[in-house]
Amino acid sequence: SQQGEEDPQALSIQEGENATMNCSYKTSINNLQWYRQNSGRGLVHLILIRSNEREKHSGRLRVTLDTSKKSSSLLITASRAADTASYFCATDVGGTSYGKLTFGQGTILTVHP
Amino acid sequence: SQTIHQWPATLVQPVGSPLSLECTVEGTSNPNLYWYRQAAGRGLQLLFYSVGIGQISSEVPQNLSASRPQDRQFILSSKKLLLSDSGFYLCACTTTREKLFFGSGTQLSVL
């Protein structure tokens, strides 16, 4: 079964608004990553947060991780129409499975100009 | 930085026909290589991964196989395609095991 589950499945906002996507997972992890996918294209890595980190920033992206709740959130601030894409969380449980990511179902984000 | 070449972009094949999808990597050596499949509107499912030439691990039982004849070449194959093999196939690589680089994918339709 999928390790990560995103919420909401779809999100529609206006340009300039913030977008928040959530991810829940089931087992202990080594790290959690967020990826973006434009329609019909490959995925692009956005950000990685390790299990001993609680928050990380990269440009307009802010990721939080709560290992006690087994959840993460991705915040995109001041969204732009170009942010329209699907966003996936992916977990790495480490150990002998290090580098093998398990992806969630994704959140489809639509940003209206 | 790493670049992944994946082809073809689109493929329509009849049921029972063979399949060969190729993925090559530039800009790095000795990468870990992965084949993922994505059903429409769904997340990615890991099919195969490889840590070196000739070393293939299968994640799910299926009608597909993978081979790695060269360090930066990863091939996905099938002898006889099934309808259920339809999907979007993505090749990925990493050398750090903490960031995957993806190819642009192959949309396979089995009819």
Side-chain angles (χ1 to χ4, degrees):
Chain A
S1 62
Q2 293 290 342
Q3 166 78 315
E5 296 294 336
E6 277 96 336
D7 169 58
Q9 292 186 345
L11 181 61
S12 182
I13 60 175
Q14 295 296 126
E15 215 167 22
E17 294 180 341
N18 295 341
T20 300
M21 289 160 270
N22 303 297
C23 170
S24 61
Y25 57 92
K26 297 176 182 176
T27 63
S28 296
I29 60 171
N30 179 59
N31 67 69
L32 185 145
Q33 303 175 36
W34 285 90
Y35 287 79
R36 165 195 168 126
Q37 182 182 34
N38 285 70
S39 182
R41 305 291 295 174
L43 281 71
V44 176
H45 181 270
L46 295 176
I47 196 166
L48 177 151
I49 187 164
R50 302 183 192 282
S51 60
N52 62 353
E53 298 176 311
R54 292 296 168 259
E55 188 171 313
K56 206 162 183 180
H57 297 257
S58 177
R60 292 185 295 114
L61 304 180
R62 172 178 171 253
V63 170
T64 61
L65 179 65
D66 187 333
T67 53
S68 66
K69 295 181 179 178
K70 291 185 170 60
S71 66
S72 173
S73 67
L74 172 67
L75 168 68
I76 304 175
T77 59
S79 63
R80 306 165 181 168
D83 294 328
T84 294
S86 293
Y87 292 82
F88 295 88
C89 68
T91 52
D92 188 330
V93 298
T96 56
S97 296
Y98 188 32
K100 290 166 52 181
L101 300 183
T102 301
F103 286 82
Q105 299 301 302
T107 293
I108 301 171
L109 173 66
T110 303
V111 181
H112 300 281
Chain B
S1 64
Q2 300 152 71
T3 303
I4 300 181
H5 300 282
Q6 199 179 334
W7 66 93
T10 305
L11 189 59
V12 181
Q13 292 285 98
V15 170
S17 64
L19 173 73
S20 180
L21 300 181
E22 188 166 342
C23 167
T24 59
V25 179
E26 288 183 357
T28 189
S29 59
N30 197 30
N32 282 10
L33 296 174
Y34 306 83
W35 279 111
Y36 281 90
R37 178 170 61 201
Q38 184 178 31
R42 305 283 291 175
L44 279 69
Q45 179 186 36
L46 179 61
L47 302 176
F48 300 96
Y49 78 96
S50 171
V51 298
I53 296 173
Q55 301 179 62
I56 309 293
S57 294
S58 175
E59 291 300 296
V60 293
Q62 60 200 310
N63 184 43
L64 302 169
S65 62
S67 63
R68 185 171 177 175
Q70 299 181 45
D71 180 48
R72 290 176 287 179
Q73 183 184 28
F74 205 23
I75 298 172
L76 183 69
S77 304
S78 174
K79 292 182 179 178
K80 290 186 178 181
L81 284 169
L82 305 173
L83 288 173
S84 57
D85 292 323
S86 294
F88 191 50
Y89 288 83
L90 289 156
C91 179
C93 78
T94 183
T95 52
T96 66
R97 297 188 294 174
E98 291 190 342
K99 177 179 180 179
L100 292 187
F101 292 88
F102 282 85
S104 54
T106 295
Q107 182 64 52
L108 173 65
S109 297
V110 182
L111 305 177

